[in-house]
Amino acid sequence: MPAEPKKSLVGEEYEVEIGPVAHGGHCIARTSEGQVLFVRHALPGERVVAKVTEGEEGARFLRADAVRILEASKDRIEAPCPFAGPGRCGGCDWQHAKPGAQRRLKADVIAEQLQRLAGLTPEEAGWDGTVVPAEGDKLPAGQVPQWRTRVQYAVDPSTGKAGLRRHRSHEVEPVDHCMIAAEGVSELGIEKRDWTGMESVEAIAATGSQDRQVVLTPRPGGRLPLVELDRPVSVLRVDEKSGGVHRVHGRPFVRERADGRTHRVGGGGFWQVHPKAADTLVTAVMQGLLPRKGETALDLYCGVGLFAGALADRLGEKGAVLGIESGKRAVEDARHNLADFPRVRIEQGKVESVLPHTGITEVDLIVLDPPRAGAGRATVSHLTSLGARRIAYVACDPAALARDLGYFREGGYRVRTLRAFDLFPMTHHVECVAILEPAAKRP
């Protein structure tokens, strides 16, 4: 006989005590029966009524929203954004927390992941336990930094209005203004236009230039609208069959400025979203590596060449840098951006495939800035065999970072320092830079 379908608990309400923060923008609680709840819109120590949004009887855990606050934390504030809250926009996780409290919550998550996945205390990781705000972001409670230079708007198919997706949902929350959007994005006026026929509209406002760009993804059969926005803007479209990005009008790239250099970023390609992020991370990486003239370096997952250029600049004419990047357009941009460095080479392909075929058996310095999933055991194992005197690991996910730090330890490397930066205010995301060195002097 087929098993009885388990009863959905969606909509059930539980009065619970909120426990510690967990990775992902929620806190942990338990029902009176002991079932684990991951509760959004809550803070540690609060007593709330939590309403289940996902889960069924017997599930390992349930997801829930705090819909009524019975005993509030001293760190709670009224969310500045009118679109934040249970069932609303999923873009921000901590609008209801004071800015300092948000950074403490992120620090708690980093510490927990380091301990659980790498067996490291903050002291053993060379970390002072703080998450540092970007320059200019230390604002009073109730004020929100306008930091997001790239905003992916979803389009409501029934109205053609641009909005942002609800948490873990394809439903669109219409917004008339995103508070965390950078001024250069807000001034385009995306939210005021009709985008019928589009799946999404990505708005990009470059840092260090006046370049503005929108990337349109049409629905199947959708016709491109005439794009008339409040500022001059380049328009690109995503091909529904190939997924490639094509120029409609204007430049096919934006010019981003960091570390005293201009970087071309084409086709809506990756660039750090916070306007201070690129410079902040380059400074942290270079301070950690202390490059010397004439050394050799690897820049893995190198994107359009941000770290490769910074390394080449500091290693001088006799130094050499190899960058590896999987994205074809990013490789083209990196080669263009670094054309004035004859001893920089950029290879295209996945790091785990290309690196073993480079013939490189030793290197002085390594920078890796992998995607959210991290580098993984095989790549870390290869890196530890190259004998680098220092390695800089730039991470946007503390769980993947902690797991990979454990692999580095297996390969004979220890964490020298770790720094954490709040480059995604109001969200649960945090950026870390770990500097590693051999645990023992090599013979």
Side-chain angles (χ1 to χ4, degrees):
M1 282 179 64
E4 287 277 322
K6 291 187 176 174
K7 180 189 169 192
S8 169
L9 294 176
V10 172
E12 291 288 321
E13 293 188 352
Y14 299 93
E15 187 176 314
V16 292
E17 200 85 50
I18 300 296
V21 65
H23 183 30
H26 45 249
C27 297
I28 297 172
R30 287 182 183 274
T31 67
S32 54
E33 291 80 37
Q35 196 164 20
V36 172
L37 288 173
F38 289 149
V39 187
R40 280 173 61 81
H41 310 291
L43 292 171
E46 293 188 324
R47 189 155 194 82
V48 308
V49 174
K51 187 174 185 177
V52 177
T53 55
E54 285 181 49
E56 56 193 22
E57 280 183 344
R60 206 157 49 86
F61 62 84
L62 307 173
R63 296 185 184 276
D65 281 338
V67 292
R68 291 197 297 285
I69 312 303
L70 306 177
E71 293 173 22
S73 163
K74 62 178 174 38
D75 290 324
R76 176 173 286 276
I77 59 169
E78 190 73 34
C81 177
F83 305 106
R88 306 294 302 275
C89 173
C92 292
D93 306 290
W94 301 118
Q95 286 269 352
H96 59 287
K98 293 176 182 174
Q102 294 182 34
R103 293 189 283 272
R104 289 194 298 275
L105 291 169
K106 296 182 190 197
D108 289 347
V109 168
I110 296 168
E112 192 266 337
Q113 298 295 315
L114 285 173
Q115 183 62 60
R116 189 167 65 84
L117 297 174
L120 291 172
T121 64
E123 292 75 24
E124 289 167 335
W127 177 44
D128 66 5
T130 66
V131 174
V132 181
E135 182 190 336
D137 276 2
K138 205 162 185 183
L139 299 174
Q143 292 186 30
V144 176
Q146 296 171 287
W147 60 271
R148 196 167 189 99
T149 61
R150 291 164 180 245
V151 178
Q152 179 95 28
Y153 294 92
V155 178
D156 188 319
S158 60
T159 65
K161 292 289 184 191
L164 299 163
R165 295 207 186 275
R166 292 171 183 155
H167 182 62
R168 294 176 61 83
S169 169
H170 291 293
E171 291 182 19
V172 179
E173 177 76 21
V175 301
D176 54 27
H177 174 238
C178 174
M179 290 188 79
I180 64 172
E183 187 180 354
V185 168
S186 296
E187 66 188 16
L188 292 176
I190 300 286
E191 302 95 338
K192 297 185 290 189
R193 298 294 187 276
D194 182 350
W195 299 102
T196 298
M198 297 299 103
E199 178 81 39
S200 67
V201 180
E202 183 180 15
I204 298 170
T207 299
S209 78
Q210 290 300 306
D211 293 352
R212 305 284 182 270
Q213 188 177 83
V214 295
V215 183
L216 303 176
T217 303
R219 294 184 184 280
R223 292 182 58 188
L224 232 55
L226 183 64
V227 178
E228 293 181 336
L229 294 172
D230 294 350
R231 292 288 186 279
V233 67
S234 298
V235 179
L236 282 65
R237 69 163 289 168
V238 177
D239 185 274
E240 64 181 79
K241 291 193 174 71
S242 69
V245 181
H246 307 291
R247 183 178 73 89
V248 177
H249 71 74
R251 285 196 188 94
F253 58 84
V254 294
R255 293 162 300 176
E256 301 278 3
R257 189 95 182 138
D259 194 42
R261 298 175 57 80
T262 297
H263 302 75
R264 185 182 83 181
V265 183
F270 175 78
W271 185 261
Q272 289 289 342
V273 179
H274 194 295
K276 302 285 186 187
D279 277 324
T280 298
L281 295 173
V282 165
T283 299
V285 166
M286 296 305 137
Q287 285 175 347
L289 293 181
L290 297 174
R292 301 168 187 160
K293 298 288 185 191
E295 286 188 317
T296 57
L298 290 175
D299 180 11
L300 308 179
Y301 317 92
C302 71
V304 301
L306 173 65
F307 295 116
L311 283 164
D313 197 39
R314 290 154 177 83
L315 295 179
E317 292 177 6
K318 293 185 178 177
V321 182
L322 171 66
I324 302 176
E325 165 59 39
S326 61
K328 183 169 180 250
R329 182 60 199 258
V331 167
E332 290 172 7
D333 287 336
R335 288 172 178 162
H336 172 273
N337 295 335
L338 304 171
D340 53 335
F341 293 117
R343 289 177 61 78
V344 173
R345 191 169 99 244
I346 306 294
E347 297 281 352
Q348 189 198 339
K350 291 183 180 296
V351 168
E352 61 269 27
S353 305
V354 173
L355 187 57
H357 294 104
T358 59
I360 293 172
T361 56
E362 57 183 354
V363 71
D364 296 305
L365 301 172
I366 299 171
V367 178
L368 64 156
D369 185 5
R372 200 167 296 285
R377 186 187 289 274
T379 296
V380 170
S381 177
H382 190 122
L383 297 182
T384 59
S385 74
L386 299 178
R389 69 172 179 84
R390 287 210 179 160
I391 298 172
Y393 189 136
V394 181
C396 60
D397 185 272
L401 171 66
R403 181 205 64 201
D404 285 350
L405 291 182
Y407 299 153
F408 273 109
R409 185 173 54 206
E410 291 172 11
Y413 275 75
R414 72 177 189 93
V415 188
R416 179 184 174 89
T417 61
L418 187 144
R419 297 169 71 184
F421 301 98
D422 190 14
L423 301 178
F424 308 89
M426 302 288 148
T427 78
H428 75 271
H429 300 291
V430 62
E431 201 85 19
C432 294
V433 176
I435 304 296
L436 298 108
E437 64 183 5
K441 292 289 181 197
R442 304 198 176 233

